[in-house]
Amino acid sequence: MLALVLERQHELSMREIDLPMQVGPDDVKISLHTVGVCGSDVHYYTHGRIGNFIVKEPMVLGHEAAGTVVEVGSSVKTLKVGDRVCMEPGIPNLSSRASKLGIYNVDPSVTFWATPPVHGVLTPEVVHPAAFTYKLPDNVSFAEGAMVEPFAVGMQAAARARIAPGDVGAVIGAGPIGIMIALAALAGGCSKVLISDFSKEKLAIAGRYDGIIPVDLGQESYASAIARETGDWGADVVFEASGNPKAYSGIFDLVRPGGALVLVGLPVEPVTFDVPGAIAKEVRIETVFRYANIYDRAIALIASGKVDLKPLITGTYPFRDSIAAFERAEKALPTDVKLQILMD
Ligand SMILES: [Zn+2]
C-alpha cells in the first residue's frame, strides 16, 4: 500500500508499506477520501516525539479522516458498503475498566492512529472497528468529516467545562484547537467567548465567527479584556489551549470566583501555577485528553448548521503532494488553520 511514511525525525517519504488489511467480523474497510494534517502529525515530523511517544520505526502519519466503506465484516449491522463515514482514530479495549466506566479515551491500552508505534491513515485504505466508524449525514462533506476529529477535542473541552446557558468563556490561544473550543463552547451555551493570541492573523480568523471576541495580547492584557466583558467578575470558564507555560502566570485572574479552568494545551515542560490563587476562588480544574462518546454529537452539530468548520480549511493538497503539505504545515503560517490531503 502506498503511504506517507515518517521514516524518522525530519524524513518523510511516499512509498509502499505493508499494512494490516484483514477485515475481522466487527470491522469495516474504508477507502479514505480526506485526511487532515494535525499539529501532532507535524510535531512527530519536526521533533520525532511527543512526550513519551517516540518515533523509533517508520510510521504512517494521519489520523483525521473521512472516507467510504468498501467492505464490512460479517457481524457488522450498522454500516454498509457505500456509506460515507468518518473514523475515531483511537481504539480502546472495550473490555477494559476505563471503557466500562465510559472513559475509553484514558484506557491505558488504547491504540491511536499515527501515535508511535501505531500507523496512521495517509494511505488509500484502512481497516477499522465499525464501533468507531460514524456515518456522515448527506449534508456533511468529506472535508467536514475529516474536521470532526479536532472538533471533538473542542467538544470534549466544552463538555468537561459543564457550561451553563449564558456562560462567558475565555480561550487562551487561537490555534486550530483554540478555535474549535470556542465554537464548541458557543454551541454548548456560552453567550460569548473571548479568545486571545499574539497573532493578528489567527485572531482575525477566529473573530469572523459571531459570538467570538478576539483579544490581541500585544494590545491589552487578557485579564483587562475579560474584566471589561464581564463587569469585573471574570470568565465562567477559561480554556487553556496554547500549551505555553507562560499562560499559567496570573491565569486565575481570568476566572470568576467558583468558575472553571479547563486544561487542553500540552506544555512541553512541567509548569508551576498559583495554588493559593486557585483556592481563593475555589476554581474547578478539569483536563482534556482527546475525547470519548463525542463523535456522534459533533457530527450532529455540524449537520445542524450550528457549527461551520468549512472556513477553517485553508489549504488542500492531492495525496501525491503530501510531503509539500507537511512542509507548508511545518512553516505554521499564521493564516493557516487546517490543511487537508485528498486521497482521490
Ligand atoms: Zn488531530
Side-chain angles (χ1 to χ4, degrees):
M1 198 73 94
L2 187 65
L4 178 70
V5 180
L6 177 61
E7 306 285 0
R8 57 185 69 79
Q9 183 181 1
H10 276 306
E11 187 184 333
L12 290 169
S13 59
M14 291 288 286
R15 67 162 165 99
E16 293 290 326
I17 187 168
D18 268 341
L19 296 169
M21 281 295 145
Q22 195 64 39
V23 179
D26 297 313
D27 294 335
V28 292
K29 187 190 275 182
I30 300 127
S31 166
L32 291 150
H33 183 288
T34 302
V35 180
V37 177
C38 181
S40 71
D41 296 311
V42 178
H43 202 86
Y44 283 121
Y45 168 49
T46 55
H47 291 74
R49 65 184 296 161
I50 295 179
N52 293 330
F53 294 101
I54 301 164
V55 179
K56 293 177 181 154
E57 281 161 40
M59 177 178 81
V60 178
L61 290 173
H63 65 260
E64 303 180 352
T68 304
V69 174
V70 291
E71 190 178 332
V72 297
S74 54
S75 304
V76 174
K77 301 273 185 291
T78 51
L79 292 166
K80 57 182 191 313
V81 170
D83 280 347
R84 299 163 62 256
V85 293
C86 68
M87 291 74 76
E88 214 174 317
I91 308 173
N93 171 0
L94 290 176
S95 305
S96 71
R97 201 160 170 176
S99 293
K100 288 197 286 182
L101 287 167
I103 50 172
Y104 62 82
N105 54 323
V106 289
D107 177 3
S109 65
V110 74
T111 63
F112 197 94
W113 286 341
T115 300
V118 181
H119 288 302
V121 293
L122 273 162
T123 185
E125 291 187 335
V126 69
V127 174
H128 201 58
F132 294 93
T133 302
Y134 300 83
K135 197 167 164 15
L136 294 174
D138 290 342
N139 67 340
V140 176
S141 65
F142 287 117
E144 292 171 287
M147 294 289 271
V148 170
E149 200 278 334
F151 184 54
V153 177
M155 294 272 294
Q156 177 86 355
R160 300 281 285 161
R162 287 185 247 143
I163 292 164
D167 273 356
V168 175
V171 180
I172 303 169
I177 294 295
I179 295 175
M180 299 287 180
I181 293 169
L183 293 173
L186 283 173
C190 279
S191 54
K192 58 185 171 185
V193 178
L194 293 86
I195 190 165
S196 69
D197 209 292
F198 287 97
S199 161
K200 290 186 180 5
E201 293 90 345
K202 290 181 181 179
L203 290 169
I205 294 166
R208 286 203 301 247
Y209 286 97
D210 280 346
I212 297 185
I213 302 167
V215 176
D216 183 344
L217 296 178
Q219 303 287 320
E220 72 177 319
S221 78
Y222 209 14
S224 67
I226 291 172
R228 183 185 68 232
E229 291 289 336
T230 61
D232 289 325
W233 175 234
D236 297 289
V237 185
V238 172
F239 299 91
E240 202 312 287
S242 71
N244 188 335
K246 291 187 187 131
Y248 286 84
S249 125
I251 200 165
F252 298 106
D253 297 342
L254 313 181
V255 191
R256 73 156 165 90
L261 172 65
V262 182
L263 308 182
V264 188
L266 289 171
V268 285
E269 302 291 337
V271 298
T272 54
F273 69 83
D274 174 17
V275 174
I279 289 177
K281 287 183 168 176
E282 243 182 26
V283 170
R284 175 168 57 87
I285 297 175
E286 302 278 356
T287 57
V288 171
F289 184 67
R290 298 174 181 155
Y291 36 75
N293 300 305
I294 291 285
Y295 254 57
D296 40 9
R297 298 148 173 265
I299 293 165
L301 262 182
I302 295 166
S304 76
K306 289 183 179 142
V307 174
D308 183 9
L309 302 177
K310 294 188 292 292
L312 303 178
I313 302 163
T314 48
T316 304
Y317 287 73
F319 179 46
R320 62 175 176 278
D321 295 339
S322 293
I323 293 175
F326 272 78
E327 286 167 352
R328 171 158 154 195
E330 185 186 4
K331 288 185 195 139
L333 304 176
T335 45
D336 268 343
V337 183
K338 178 59 66 181
L339 302 179
Q340 291 188 328
I341 292 171
L342 275 183
M343 305 306 296
D344 273 355

